[in-house]
Each structure stands twice: as C-alpha cells, then as structure tokens.
Amino acid sequence: MDFFPAETLTELQRQLDRLEQDLIADSRESGERAYLVEIPELMRCESAFSTERSKPFQLSAALYRQTDHLDATAGGGSDARETLQLPGLLGASQWTLEIAAEVNRLKARFEQEIKDWKAALPEMPALEKDRLVRDKLSGHGFPRAHLRQIYRQIVLCPPGVDAIALSWVKARKSIRKVSVDWCEKKLEKMDPQMQDPGIQYQRRLLGGLDPSRADHLRQIQVRSRPTVQVAVVENDAYRQIGYSSMPVLVQLDPGKSLPDFTRIAGEPSATVRRVRKDRTIEPEPFLAALRVHLLKNQGD
C-alpha cells in the first residue's frame, strides 16, 4: 500500500494557518462579535495555548489548529488524548467562513482516506490497524497527530439568521450487566500475547473475584461529554445546526454584532436522582480497561 493521505493533512494545516490569520483580522472589527461560554475547561484552553480569554479570536484559532496530542501537563496533567471543549460564537467575515468550509472539507476527506486505508489492510485486530496508522503518520512527519482532534468539524452558522439558541445537552450514561466470561474474553482480546502488565493484572483480579459477586459486574459507558447544542431561528422556524465543542462561526458584515443569542451557564444544571442503596455502584472501576465496576454489597 503505497498511498497514504499525508498530503491531505499537510494541506489541512496550511488552510488552518490561513484561518488563524483571518480570524485575527476579524477580531479587529468593532461590535460584539465574540461570546465564549464560561465553562471550567476555559482555563485549560488558556493554559494549553498560552492565550487569555480576553482574546477570544486568537484562543479559538489556536483550538481550531489543534491537530496534535495535547501535552499531559496542559491544564492540570489531564489525559493528553482528550479534546478540549470551548463552546461559543465568533462573528467572522464571509471570506473566513469560506476558508473554514474548506477546512471542514479537508477534514472529512482525510477522515475518509484514513478509513479507506485501514479497510485495505489485511485482516488484523483494530488496535493493530490503529498502530499502523500512527506509524505511518509518524513516518510522514506527524508523530503527534491526534485523529480525534483532526476530524472535528467547525460548525458554520447560516448567514442572516434572526437568533441563535445555545443549550446544554447532558452526557448520556449507560449501565449494563456483564458476565465474568464476557470480561475475560474482552481482556484476552486486548492482550493476546499476554505482554501488557496492566491487562494481565486485571485478568488476575477477575480470576480472584468472589463467586458471590460474579453477577455484580456492571459496565458503565458515557456516550458523550456534556456539550452545547446550537440551533438557529429563521422566519420563526427553529432548526438545529450542530454541537459547539468549538466556537461556531457566524458570518457578519464589518462593524456588525452577533444576532440575538442565548447566554448559558458554564455547565449543565445538576439533577438529583434517587438510587436504591443495594444497586449503588462502586465509584472506582474494578476493571479499568473495560470500564467495569462492581455493585456495592448491600451492607456497605
């Protein structure tokens, strides 16, 4: 397989440089042209990019340009593989939105090319295919490329809308019962050569589980992080246009301000759910690799 889409990634980075330059130019226009939701993660963005929230266009441009793994020390030593969230709105020129549309096109093209490249590989575990992609990216000069960062699309607001509505959508959590046999097979598949100390330790934990707790295993999956949903109002019609993990670009003429929009709190409102005591789940995972927890004993 000689073809690998490194050229697409190179062109994407070139267009992201253009987008950054145009956003900085847009920031010089007068009027209320920027709104960033004051989420707790905003401080992490400032730390990661050494840019203050008082410069929202520069901060947003740095986030759009993020195609690498974040440093583990950025924002308090969190997981370097995470994607930073920064919902909000930016008023930009038509030319800037055209560049952003080209950025989105290249992102989608690169994502499809990676999928096609992996599909053409011989049959092998998915983790092995992922490793080969990382090796190829490194060989083409992108050793820290982070696909989840690269694939993220920039939401573009249609021109001339009457209003923009922002609202929180909470993360969805699913909890399902799993068996000892299911866990064992999953761990074995993750480390078929038995060379990963962490996986082997978890297999030993599973093997030592008291039989009386064999039906207490629960896998917890968070389907998504809380995110900001974006909708527009046009001629009294309400239409959703996407989710704002990064600021939404809104086309504005020079000197104009953002259309009417909703300002929201920095995190979703808390809800309290009653949980039966005998169904409470241990907060720390029993098998971290599988996100499997144990139900607490009734007497705990």
Side-chain angles (χ1 to χ4, degrees):
M1 295 185 59
D2 295 330
F3 171 76
F4 189 79
E7 289 185 5
T8 303
L9 185 52
T10 299
E11 176 61 17
L12 171 61
Q13 292 189 316
R14 191 178 75 85
Q15 294 296 334
L16 285 169
D17 288 340
R18 294 179 65 200
L19 180 61
E20 179 179 36
Q21 293 168 9
D22 275 69
L23 283 170
I24 292 173
D26 287 334
S27 71
R28 303 188 185 108
E29 294 289 345
S30 61
E32 185 185 29
R33 302 175 67 88
Y35 167 67
L36 299 180
V37 181
E38 292 282 332
I39 59 173
E41 201 165 354
L42 184 52
M43 187 177 295
R44 282 191 59 207
C45 290
E46 293 177 307
S47 174
F49 304 125
S50 301
T51 304
E52 299 176 355
R53 66 192 72 185
S54 60
K55 298 179 179 179
F57 283 82
Q58 289 88 334
L59 187 60
S60 301
L63 182 60
Y64 294 144
R65 292 188 73 257
Q66 184 64 44
T67 58
D68 287 354
H69 286 263
L70 294 169
D71 291 334
T73 56
S78 57
D79 191 335
R81 294 168 296 179
E82 287 184 1
T83 55
L84 286 170
Q85 305 282 355
L86 184 60
L89 305 170
L90 290 181
S93 66
Q94 178 182 348
W95 173 246
T96 300
L97 266 75
E98 289 175 359
I99 297 175
E102 175 63 9
V103 164
N104 283 344
R105 188 188 69 81
L106 288 166
K107 284 171 171 280
R109 182 172 123 190
F110 181 72
E111 182 175 7
Q112 187 59 53
E113 288 173 342
I114 289 292
K115 288 180 180 178
D116 293 344
W117 190 86
K118 290 169 71 174
L121 290 171
E123 187 64 30
M124 66 182 69
L127 289 176
E128 181 64 15
K129 288 187 177 183
D130 291 342
R131 185 188 65 78
L132 290 176
V133 169
R134 290 194 299 272
D135 289 346
K136 276 287 187 179
L137 286 168
S138 181
H140 283 84
F142 304 103
R144 292 175 54 81
H146 179 14
L147 296 182
R148 189 180 300 172
Q149 299 272 17
I150 295 169
Y151 296 164
R152 288 206 291 178
Q153 294 275 310
I154 302 170
V155 178
L156 308 180
C157 181
V161 300
D162 299 320
I164 302 172
L166 305 178
S167 58
W168 278 107
V169 177
K170 294 183 181 179
R172 294 174 296 163
K173 181 184 290 186
S174 69
I175 302 174
R176 65 166 178 158
K177 182 178 180 179
V178 294
S179 67
V180 171
D181 183 60
W182 181 90
C183 293
E184 175 61 33
K185 288 179 178 178
K186 287 290 185 181
L187 290 172
E188 182 179 356
K189 188 175 181 179
M190 294 176 73
D191 184 29
Q193 305 300 321
M194 303 179 67
Q195 295 179 342
D196 187 323
I199 299 298
Q200 295 309 308
Y201 171 71
Q202 291 174 68
R203 292 183 70 178
R204 291 193 295 273
L205 279 179
L206 186 63
L209 181 65
D210 190 312
S212 66
R213 306 194 72 185
D215 64 348
H216 287 191
L217 296 167
R218 299 292 185 272
Q219 186 186 48
I220 300 178
Q221 290 183 297
V222 178
R223 299 300 182 186
S224 63
R225 299 162 69 180
T227 189
V228 173
Q229 178 179 282
V230 185
V232 297
V233 179
E234 299 175 277
N235 300 321
D236 296 326
Y238 181 92
R239 177 167 62 91
Q240 182 182 331
I241 63 169
Y243 297 92
S244 175
S245 65
M246 302 187 294
V248 177
L249 291 183
V250 183
Q251 182 177 323
L252 293 183
D253 292 330
K256 297 293 184 180
S257 298
L258 291 167
D260 291 339
F261 63 92
T262 53
R263 297 175 184 268
I264 57 177
E267 54 189 0
S269 59
T271 57
V272 179
R273 295 183 179 179
R274 295 180 62 187
V275 181
R276 286 173 49 194
K277 185 177 179 180
D278 64 340
R279 304 293 286 180
T280 301
I281 296 174
E282 296 282 1
E284 294 298 322
F286 177 62
L287 305 173
L290 302 178
R291 300 180 299 280
V292 168
H293 297 240
L294 283 169
L295 293 178
K296 287 184 177 179
N297 286 324
Q298 292 189 26
D300 292 349

